Amino acid sequence: MADARVFALLTEPERAGERLDVLAAEAANVTRSRAGALIREGMARVNGQVQTKAGFRLRAGDQVELTLPEAAPARVEAQDIPIEVLYQDGDLAVVYKPSGMVVHPAAGNPDGTLVNALLQNLDHLSGVGGEIRPGIVHRIDKDTSGLLLVAKNDFAHLALSEQIRAHSVQRAYMAIVQGGMREDSGTVEGPIGRHPTDRKKMAIVPGGREAVTHWRVLEPLKGATLLECRLTTGRTHQIRVHMAFIGHPLLGDPLYGPKKPPYPVTGGQLLHAFRLGFVHPRSGEELLFEAPPEPRFLDWQRRLRLN
């Protein structure tokens, strides 16, 4: 533990009652899920005492400490999987994840993931995300295609994670949803958490995490609509949950779509992360990237065109 780093934060009066994982994540500038995992491993202290409950509620004046171990070498194996790299330098890379590819290894997906490909195709990856998620700053679903930001060192990872936490990263998606929209644009706001009865799904639930999705119509289609969806927050399945909530589930969505979908879309939801913008953590330059959807997405867009 000699190489570990300890981060501390004093609980201000106005933040009394907040969860330990929230303030610990802020202190160490890591994601809340990463902070929660470290807390459960006994790496957090409140007023000098080990606290293993991520949801522990803090009081004014509580001293929060989170120990961030030096990252161990990744145990995930590099695999010779072609991956499109749109941009890279010594700090970061922007890559294109195809639909059908899982971002990082997990139960049921031990290999063949984006991380396996990154280990083969990039010279370095940050260690902040742990052994299973090296370099991964944010994720998109398996069947969602599009742009992802990858950190090549811990400095970049922490700085980019802070931009995501501050909602300053531009993330826009193309989505084909069921039905026609009555308005040209709108906003869906609804806290997202785990579904109360189906653990595979997320849902709008009381006490969930704040989630905001802005949408606008790009093209009316036959019994469907092509939307641009911009994320203020980035919760799990956010666009899929929010669109289903307002009665316009994504075409091809096996989890949130209707049991009898209007079109025989296979291969998962028609959702593509087409725009990604952020400030370079070292140079301060504003960077913006765009990439078109995959042929499957474009094929359905053509098939459903009104003209």
Side-chain angles (χ1 to χ4, degrees):
M1 194 64 68
D3 294 326
R5 293 161 289 169
V6 178
F7 299 86
L9 189 70
L10 186 67
T11 306
E12 299 293 339
E14 62 270 18
R15 306 196 67 174
E18 287 201 29
R19 291 169 54 103
L20 173 60
D21 55 356
V22 173
L23 266 73
E26 182 175 321
N29 202 9
V30 297
T31 63
R32 181 175 166 186
S33 60
R34 174 68 169 149
L38 291 170
I39 290 167
R40 289 187 288 274
E41 293 170 7
M43 307 300 283
R45 291 178 179 268
V46 177
N47 301 326
Q49 300 296 315
V50 174
Q51 175 56 254
T52 58
K53 294 182 179 179
F56 178 80
R57 298 290 176 175
L58 296 162
R59 299 170 298 179
D62 280 349
Q63 181 80 20
V64 176
E65 295 180 357
L66 183 69
T67 300
L68 192 64
E70 192 67 23
R75 288 201 297 257
V76 182
E77 293 185 2
Q79 291 181 296
D80 189 11
I81 303 171
I83 192 76
E84 183 179 357
V85 180
L86 281 75
Y87 171 87
Q88 72 167 312
D89 57 28
D91 291 307
L92 58 89
V94 175
V95 303
Y96 189 109
K97 187 193 83 67
S99 62
M101 175 182 279
V102 175
V103 170
H104 59 79
N109 296 284
D111 54 22
T113 71
L114 179 67
V115 166
N116 296 107
L118 293 175
L119 289 169
Q120 177 72 24
N121 289 278
L122 300 183
D123 51 358
H124 294 93
L125 291 174
S126 68
V128 174
E131 298 177 359
I132 302 300
R133 305 179 186 181
I136 301 302
V137 179
H138 64 116
R139 293 175 291 171
I140 55 178
D141 295 339
K142 174 185 176 181
D143 291 327
T144 299
S145 61
L147 301 177
L148 275 177
L149 184 54
V150 177
K152 298 176 72 174
N153 56 55
D154 288 359
F155 163 77
H157 196 130
L158 294 173
L160 294 169
S161 294
E162 174 59 23
Q163 290 186 45
I164 289 177
R165 192 184 70 81
H167 310 316
S168 62
V169 175
Q170 295 185 50
R171 285 178 288 175
Y173 293 69
M174 290 182 183
I176 299 181
V177 302
Q178 181 178 325
M181 311 299 288
R182 294 183 178 180
E183 306 292 337
D184 291 333
S185 62
T187 297
V188 185
E189 297 185 58
I192 292 178
R194 189 66 60 182
H195 193 284
T197 58
D198 188 342
R199 304 306 292 174
K200 293 182 179 180
K201 299 175 68 173
M202 307 299 288
I204 294 180
V205 294
R209 301 180 69 186
E210 176 193 17
V212 181
T213 304
H214 306 282
W215 60 267
R216 70 181 182 95
V217 174
L218 294 179
E219 182 182 5
L221 303 169
K222 296 175 183 177
T225 307
L226 175 65
L227 298 181
E228 175 187 313
C229 296
R230 292 183 294 108
L231 297 181
T232 297
T233 55
R235 309 307 178 203
T236 301
H237 298 177
Q238 179 173 319
I239 293 174
R240 300 165 65 188
V241 171
H242 275 175
M243 291 300 105
F245 178 73
I246 64 172
H248 297 279
L250 273 64
L251 294 189
D253 193 333
L255 199 57
Y256 301 99
K259 292 182 179 179
K260 295 183 178 180
Y263 297 105
V265 178
T266 58
Q269 65 275 356
L270 294 177
L271 184 62
H272 172 70
F274 79 96
R275 183 184 298 136
L276 180 63
F278 56 93
V279 175
H280 194 286
R282 196 174 300 274
S283 70
E285 180 184 2
E286 294 186 1
L287 300 177
L288 181 65
F289 301 89
E290 292 190 353
E294 294 177 325
R296 180 179 74 104
F297 188 110
L298 294 173
D299 179 60
W300 274 104
Q301 183 183 353
R302 285 191 294 266
R303 291 169 64 177
L304 297 175
R305 281 219 164 99
L306 295 174
N307 297 321

